[in-house]
Amino acid sequence: MDEALIRLQEEELRRTGRYYKHICFLCVPLLCVSCYLYGLRPLLLCGFAVLMGNLCDRLISLLRRRVYQAGDYSNESFALVITLLMPATVDWYVLAAAILAGALIGKEVFGGYGSYPFHPAAVGYAVAAVSWPEQVFRYPAPYANIPLWDASGVATSSTISDTLRSGGLINISALSLVLGEYAAPMGTGAAIVLAACGLFLWMQKDVRLSASLSFLITAGLIVFFFPRQLGLTEGTAFTAGLVFRLRCVRDEMLTGAMLFSAVFLLNEPYTCAHHRLGRILYGVMVGAFTMGFRYFGVYETGVCFAILAVNSISGWLDRTEVRLYELIKSGRYFKEKKTGKGDAE
């Protein structure tokens, strides 16, 4: 029994290790898109992030007097995810503080690898967002000339979030939204690339679609039935109103790091619910919380805060589902026992 348990634990470590390697690998195409839109600064930021994540891992191993695991890419993947959620003009100290918060507060405070209840990347991003909102939620325009080291003089804006929050419509073509040609975090705009990354993770069996799809469907339904631009549909025909609502869904789903979070944040092995029904409920709750943060909050990327909120009960969702199955199974057993089927078998 002990050997079987050890084998299961080793298999789990191999599976999660492969997941983090794939996350690091899939950040490369997003980085290429970022470099195309914003120049070489995203490349320097991501290189700095990987170095910071690796140094944090080595430092923790030294302080805790444990052997450094060279094949553990979790800190590097968290650092890359945090970086791609940032604007291309973010200062170096803000990025460093976010990575340190994710690695130390989000991960190591709770015991390190596999023991953390909250997604470390979401923790690091939330710390930076609350501490330096003027750095995290102001984005440069695509194709802007951004210096490699000091980007403080680059013009930035938060046009999309301000427009949606005020009940207005985004004046950007569908093609530009899909390609990421608008002011947004570095790695969250290219919807085509993000969809391909999600497909790759699913084909490699690194993620399950239940959490991501339930998250996107829930958020999309909330936008469809309760769009922020509802006043603009007054007096319009049914067909025109339907098209308008679908456009609102498109605008909300393709902005605010929604697709990025569905692919790179929602399915983290240790913070997402593990059973199918639990994953569906997990995605539904994250979707509802996200739209609540976006509608009534002050931050555009409310999905990271929603993930942290639902992370606190993801374990409870798993335990509740197990108990529910046990109750159903015991109920069937007693029913068969009462009718005599159990004795006949």
Side-chain angles (χ1 to χ4, degrees):
M1 186 62 183
D2 292 338
E3 293 181 358
L5 182 60
I6 292 174
R7 286 197 297 270
L8 287 174
Q9 292 176 345
E10 291 177 349
E11 178 61 28
E12 178 70 13
L13 289 174
R14 285 195 295 269
R15 187 181 66 83
T16 55
R18 186 181 63 179
Y19 168 83
Y20 293 124
K21 289 179 183 179
H22 286 165
I23 291 295
C24 293
F25 169 75
L26 292 176
C27 287
V28 174
L30 293 176
L31 177 58
C32 292
V33 175
S34 300
C35 291
Y36 174 75
L37 294 174
Y38 301 108
L40 292 179
R41 195 165 198 266
L43 180 62
L44 291 180
L45 290 173
C46 286
F48 173 75
V50 171
L51 180 61
M52 280 286 299
N54 186 267
L55 288 178
C56 286
D57 207 0
R58 293 177 181 273
L59 177 62
I60 293 299
S61 298
L62 179 63
L63 294 177
R64 292 197 170 187
R65 297 179 180 179
R66 68 188 184 197
V67 179
Y68 168 70
Q69 301 292 332
D72 175 17
Y73 295 98
S74 58
N75 271 3
E76 288 83 353
S77 68
F78 297 146
L80 284 172
V81 169
I82 291 173
T83 306
L84 293 176
L85 281 168
M86 296 288 180
T89 52
V90 66
D91 279 339
W92 299 94
Y93 71 90
V94 175
L95 181 59
I99 295 171
L100 286 173
L104 302 181
I105 301 175
K107 180 182 176 183
E108 297 299 334
V109 163
F110 296 99
Y113 189 84
S115 302
Y116 42 85
F118 303 100
H119 197 304
V123 171
Y125 179 83
V127 169
V130 172
S131 303
W132 300 280
E134 73 285 353
Q135 288 274 345
V136 177
F137 299 111
R138 304 286 296 182
Y139 311 109
Y143 311 113
N145 184 18
I146 303 178
L148 293 180
W149 303 108
D150 184 10
S152 58
V154 178
T156 58
S157 65
S158 57
T159 307
I160 289 181
S161 61
D162 292 341
T163 301
L164 292 175
R165 189 177 297 113
S166 62
L169 293 174
I170 300 176
N171 189 22
I172 301 176
S173 66
L175 182 60
S176 295
L177 281 175
V178 171
L179 296 178
E181 295 179 327
Y182 59 92
M186 285 184 286
T188 66
I192 294 179
V193 180
L194 289 171
C197 292
L199 181 62
F200 175 85
L201 289 174
W202 176 67
M203 293 181 64
Q204 294 294 319
K205 298 182 179 180
D206 289 324
V207 301
R208 305 293 178 89
L209 293 181
S210 50
S212 296
L213 289 181
S214 59
F215 160 68
L216 294 175
I217 291 172
T218 300
L221 288 176
I222 291 175
V223 176
F224 182 83
F225 288 108
F226 308 101
R228 289 193 264 190
Q229 301 82 2
L230 187 59
L232 300 179
T233 63
E234 296 179 357
T236 60
F238 173 78
T239 304
L242 179 63
V243 173
F244 176 83
R245 288 174 183 269
L246 292 176
R247 178 182 175 182
C248 292
V249 173
R250 180 202 69 182
D251 293 346
E252 295 279 4
M253 293 299 101
L254 295 181
T255 60
M258 295 291 284
L259 290 179
F260 181 89
S261 301
V263 175
F264 287 92
L265 290 174
L266 210 65
N267 290 283
E268 204 278 331
Y270 294 110
T271 56
C272 182
H274 295 89
H275 302 290
R276 183 173 62 181
L277 180 59
R279 286 194 299 269
I280 293 174
L281 293 176
Y282 179 84
V284 169
M285 295 181 68
V286 173
F289 276 53
T290 297
M291 298 317 299
F293 278 113
R294 295 193 71 175
Y295 277 29
F296 306 108
V298 296
Y299 300 136
E300 176 185 0
T301 319
V303 60
C304 290
F305 298 92
I307 288 175
L308 292 177
V310 183
N311 279 162
S312 61
I313 60 170
S314 60
W316 175 82
L317 292 175
D318 279 330
R319 292 192 297 271
T320 302
E321 183 177 357
V322 171
R323 290 170 185 167
L324 180 61
Y325 283 138
E326 290 176 351
L327 287 175
I328 294 174
K329 185 177 179 180
S330 62
R332 288 176 179 174
Y333 172 76
F334 285 117
K335 184 177 180 181
E336 292 176 356
K337 196 76 172 177
K338 186 176 181 180
T339 57
K341 291 182 179 180
D343 295 334
E345 293 177 353

